[in-house]
Amino acid sequence: MRGKNVQLENVVMRFGDFTAVHQTNLEVNAGEFFSVLGPSGCGKTTILRMVSGFMEPSEGRVLIGGEDMTGKGPNKRPTALIFQNLALFPLMSNWENVAFGLEARGIDKKTRRNKAYELLALVGLSGQEMKKPSELSGGQRQRVAIARALAVEPSVLLLDEPLSALDLKLRQHMRAELKEIQRKTGVTFIFITHDQGEALTMSDRIAVMKNGVIEQVGRTDDIYSKPLTPFVATFVGENNVLPGRVTNADKDFAQIETAHGIFRGRNQDSLKPGNSAMLFVRPERAAIVNGTTPDNAFDARFERRDLEGAFVNLHFRLGDNPFIVHEANLRLHNGFDGPIQLGFNADDAVVMASGEVNDDA
Amino acid sequence: MHSLIRSYGKPLTSLFVCLTAFWLLVMIALPQAFMIEHSLWHIDRDDQLGMKIDRAYSEMGLVEYDLKAAKTEKVRAEFQTRIDALKAQIAALEAQETEPPKIYGIHNYTKMSELHFTIFLKSIVFALMVTVLALVVCYPMAFTIAKLATPYKAALMMLGLIIPYAINELLRVYAWLMILDYQGVINSALAWLGLVSFEAKTWVPFLENPGSVFVALIYAYVLFMIFPIYNTVETLDKNQLEAAKDLGASTWKTHMRIVIPHAKPGIAVGCIMTFMLSVGSYSVPQIMTRGKSGDWFSQLIYRQFFESQNWNTGAAYSFSLVIVCLAFILIMMKSFKVGIRDIAK
């Protein structure tokens, strides 16, 4: 099995008056684990359906391995789709499920049986071949679905939020397993998810989508540490947001005046004084000032401490603006009296032109 | 029972139980028992009975004449005993005439003539053909409504199917009669095209062919096939169809391996209903053939009851049909591997 690259060329998808996907150019490299991340209704599933062939784009074209897929149905494309609800065939045994794609290709029973058993072994389900999917646990069903998709030797495997129905522990386990299967098979994975944690842990690269537009495409680390838009900054991971106006700017840094003080951060968008802007700082990059004073320091009111396990979320407020600090779980924080001084370095903060932020949280 | 009493109290519970028992007994058990009982006996009417009685009367007249002419007391007594014997014989014969004896046995089932048996078999075969044809017509329709059509179109199609059922079945059958008659709609169209001529009576005799009954039966019972299939196909997860397609399955393969196995209970119920209704249909073959083509078994049963007044044979014929239907249900359940609970759903 060898992965192929997937290209979207000037693709647009409209449903009547509604444009689900605005003009998009995207290239997924052969053999990479690529995630399309976005909130529900952002158009990520539409992109998946256009690649799989269940939808034809209104404009533009989809290429897989350089070959134009226009007019080819899902049964003619080198893709396999794993559905959100898995869509296993409940009346067939597990091996028959896995072998269905081969059956559809007219391969004889003995060969497809061997292949199915082999694939079920690959996903760690030896001994479950004769059972029905309903007799398996959620994670096992997941693996049957993966084996079923791999049986047709796809060049591109499309995954439509397949982990969303699992509980947390299993989900974390399946992430590692999916990544492992992707590495072993070398198939291009396009993974659709609204869970940024999932996207960050598994992917090589991520495309972040909002309202039918891809806001940013990049390697996971870049997406996290160098978000290009306020939405990406707030959708992927947590970020403290301080809106204001630029008062002073040079090539590298900008100074922003907010309702709660003046802060400095990297001037990513080459903003000029007077521009409306937002400052973002990750909770783990901010800290309670202890000893040396960082570039930006300010007083905040302590609100509460949420224990996450290895780290704690410390919730503060600057007026009505919430501010969160992540700290390794090394001590208790009871006994804050009055305002606390917080701070962060200008290098760890970024100033961007104002825009829409993710306000789900 | 206890939970019923707890939820509804004693008076209401006993009312429910009584009504259910009444329904089971009066509506289901009693008519069937009556039918079976009737089918199991026949009246042994002696064709010669009237003549035998007449003969006994005339012999008695003669003996009475002899009695008057007799001289001796001894001879007279002899004649008198003969008269008494004849009187007893006549009384017995007359009793047999007014109240013929019931003879229990399977006589009604075994005496079916060869012709009637042929019709019996033919009706079963025809009903099976109607069932298969209805399935072939209804499955694609049910699938289209359940899975392919937009909700609005599906509602319209459903409505289109249901509306004719607001009209009496007889009228619907007569509509088909008008379409297929010698000078009906189709033949008129053919005549207009110059293919047949009414004057020369070269019309196509649709009604002389059992096919016309098939058409009307399928039309009459189409809903009983569509609804159960629709109901089961409707519950099929659309993703399964897409998954099958994505894995490279053709439409044929998808139906054979995914949709039909899922719809099995619905198909079984549809087939059972259509078969039972068409094998027992009286009005459709009666109206459509009007004696121009062979009888259906249901018409024979009708004749046994209302023309030859032979309720026992009629009961036996009816019960034979019931047994065929039960056998059909069992065969369908067995071959489709569906349980009674799937069917009840």
Side-chain angles (χ1 to χ4, degrees), chain B residues 164-330:
Chain B
Y165 282 77
I167 305 164
N168 188 293
E169 180 185 319
L170 289 179
L171 296 182
R172 275 180 282 137
V173 177
Y174 272 112
W176 271 104
L177 183 68
M178 281 188 249
I179 293 168
L180 296 175
D181 214 346
Y182 293 142
Q183 303 196 17
V185 177
I186 296 180
N187 273 319
S188 301
L190 290 175
W192 185 76
L193 290 168
L195 295 172
V196 301
S197 147
F198 288 171
E199 286 75 33
K201 296 191 177 174
T202 56
W203 49 54
V204 184
F206 293 110
L207 296 181
E208 289 167 28
N209 190 301
S212 65
V213 182
F214 288 10
V215 169
L217 278 176
I218 291 169
Y219 182 71
Y221 303 130
V222 101
L223 274 196
F224 295 94
M225 185 65 99
I226 283 193
F227 269 118
I229 300 179
Y230 168 79
N231 280 337
T232 46
V233 173
E234 225 265 320
T235 60
L236 179 68
D237 176 13
K238 212 170 180 175
N239 282 350
Q240 296 210 358
L241 298 176
E242 294 198 336
K245 194 165 187 198
D246 188 58
L247 292 167
S250 59
T251 308
W252 172 256
K253 190 94 200 167
T254 307
H255 279 272
M256 290 311 286
R257 292 287 276 143
I258 314 291
V259 188
I260 292 177
H262 179 85
K264 259 184 183 176
I267 293 173
V269 172
C271 287
I272 288 169
M273 297 239 256
T274 314
F275 176 80
M276 295 207 298
L277 286 167
S278 39
V279 84
S281 172
Y282 172 75
S283 58
V284 177
Q286 176 75 15
I287 294 168
M288 290 305 285
T289 65
R290 292 177 301 173
K292 286 170 189 154
S293 126
D295 264 352
W296 280 51
F297 197 64
S298 50
Q299 288 166 283
L300 277 187
I301 295 173
Y302 176 84
R303 297 231 173 86
Q304 297 301 328
F305 278 102
F306 299 108
E307 285 175 21
S308 40
Q309 292 286 338
N310 194 342
W311 283 41
N312 304 95
T313 314
Y317 281 17
S318 309
F319 196 65
S320 309
L321 210 53
V322 171
I323 289 169
V324 168
C325 289
L326 288 176
F328 184 77
I329 293 175
L330 289 177

Side-chain angles (χ1 to χ4, degrees), chain A residues 49 54 75 80-81 83 85 87-92 96 100-101 103-105 148, chain B residues 237 239-250 253-254 257-258 261-263:
Chain A
R49 293 181 74 80
F54 286 108
N75 46 355
L81 175 58
F83 290 80
N85 68 354
L88 293 175
F89 307 128
L91 300 174
M92 295 183 199
E96 281 179 303
F100 184 79
E103 191 185 332
R105 282 162 178 71
R148 185 178 72 173
Chain B
D237 176 13
N239 282 350
Q240 296 210 358
L241 298 176
E242 294 198 336
K245 194 165 187 198
D246 188 58
L247 292 167
S250 59
K253 190 94 200 167
T254 307
R257 292 287 276 143
I258 314 291
H262 179 85

Side-chain angles (χ1 to χ4, degrees), chain A residues 4-303:
Chain A
K4 285 185 180 165
N5 67 331
V6 177
Q7 289 160 279
L8 271 65
E9 277 187 3
N10 301 319
V11 162
V12 176
M13 188 70 213
R14 287 188 211 93
F15 301 107
D17 292 338
F18 174 69
T19 307
V21 176
H22 293 275
Q23 193 172 57
T24 296
N25 283 289
L26 182 67
E27 174 153 11
V28 179
N29 300 327
E32 82 175 327
F33 198 125
F34 190 89
S35 289
V36 181
L37 172 66
S40 57
C42 72
K44 58 189 191 295
T45 300
T46 309
I47 284 196
L48 180 98
R49 293 181 74 80
M50 287 191 291
V51 175
S52 63
F54 286 108
M55 280 179 189
E56 283 289 338
S58 313
E59 278 173 36
R61 55 186 196 150
V62 175
L63 295 99
I64 299 177
E67 195 188 335
D68 189 357
M69 288 292 133
T70 307
K72 285 195 174 182
N75 46 355
K76 300 268 182 280
R77 295 193 184 193
T79 59
L81 175 58
I82 294 180
F83 290 80
Q84 189 163 12
N85 68 354
L86 306 182
L88 293 175
F89 307 128
L91 300 174
M92 295 183 199
S93 65
N94 293 323
W95 85 261
E96 281 179 303
N97 260 289
V98 174
F100 184 79
L102 305 175
E103 191 185 332
R105 282 162 178 71
I107 288 162
D108 68 282
K109 190 166 179 177
K110 195 161 169 256
T111 315
R112 58 180 202 251
R113 196 189 181 101
N114 289 339
K115 183 82 198 266
Y117 274 60
E118 206 176 283
L119 279 163
L120 283 168
L122 174 80
V123 296
L125 284 178
S126 294
Q128 314 282 344
E129 294 91 351
M130 296 306 289
K131 287 188 185 166
K132 294 267 170 68
S134 57
E135 294 170 85
L136 300 182
S137 70
Q140 288 175 319
R141 274 203 286 269
Q142 197 88 49
R143 287 183 237 174
V144 175
I146 294 165
R148 185 178 72 173
L150 290 175
V152 298
E153 306 198 348
S155 305
V156 180
L157 193 67
L158 305 161
L159 301 101
D160 187 6
E161 309 207 19
L163 304 184
S164 55
L166 303 179
D167 60 61
L168 183 67
K169 273 266 188 271
L170 196 54
R171 202 153 62 215
Q172 285 170 344
H173 175 73
M174 285 308 293
R175 284 178 190 174
E177 201 142 316
L178 273 179
K179 185 80 186 128
E180 177 66 12
I181 290 168
Q182 195 267 336
R183 198 188 54 76
K184 267 195 226 166
T185 57
V187 173
T188 311
F189 273 41
I190 300 182
F191 189 88
I192 300 293
T193 183
H194 65 268
D195 182 333
Q196 44 95 19
E198 233 167 65
L200 288 174
T201 36
M202 288 192 285
S203 320
D204 297 320
R205 289 197 306 147
I206 299 177
V208 184
M209 267 192 101
K210 189 193 81 178
N211 298 335
V213 176
I214 293 183
E215 295 239 326
Q216 188 175 353
V217 184
R219 301 175 53 77
T220 43
D221 277 319
D222 293 341
I223 294 278
Y224 187 77
S225 48
K226 292 174 195 151
L228 295 179
T229 68
F231 177 77
V232 176
T234 46
F235 190 75
V236 181
E238 271 183 276
N239 239 327
N240 292 303
V241 188
L242 293 162
R245 196 164 287 279
V246 177
T247 50
N248 196 347
D250 58 30
K251 194 158 69 58
D252 300 319
F253 291 97
Q255 202 164 38
I256 175 172
E257 185 181 356
T258 73
H260 313 289
I262 294 170
F263 302 104
R264 259 166 73 80
R266 284 184 285 116
N267 188 5
Q268 183 174 280
D269 295 350
S270 310
L271 295 171
K272 302 266 179 309
N275 289 150
S276 149
M278 287 169 160
L279 179 129
F280 296 91
V281 59
R282 294 277 182 201
E284 69 271 18
R285 300 288 175 124
I288 298 169
V289 175
N290 188 10
T292 51
T293 313
D295 301 349
N296 300 288
F298 55 95
D299 283 343
R301 184 160 42 84
F302 177 72
E303 211 164 45

Side-chain angles (χ1 to χ4, degrees), chain B residues 105-147:
Chain B
I106 56 161
H107 178 259
N108 293 321
Y109 291 93
T110 53
K111 73 165 191 186
M112 198 189 275
S113 72
E114 203 174 313
L115 177 66
H116 282 192
F117 190 65
T118 313
I119 293 174
F120 178 59
L121 291 182
K122 203 179 76 179
S123 298
I124 294 169
V125 172
F126 280 2
L128 285 173
M129 286 166 75
V130 169
T131 309
V132 171
L133 284 172
L135 179 62
V136 169
V137 172
C138 294
Y139 175 79
M141 258 204 282
F143 181 78
T144 308
I145 298 173
K147 285 287 163 244

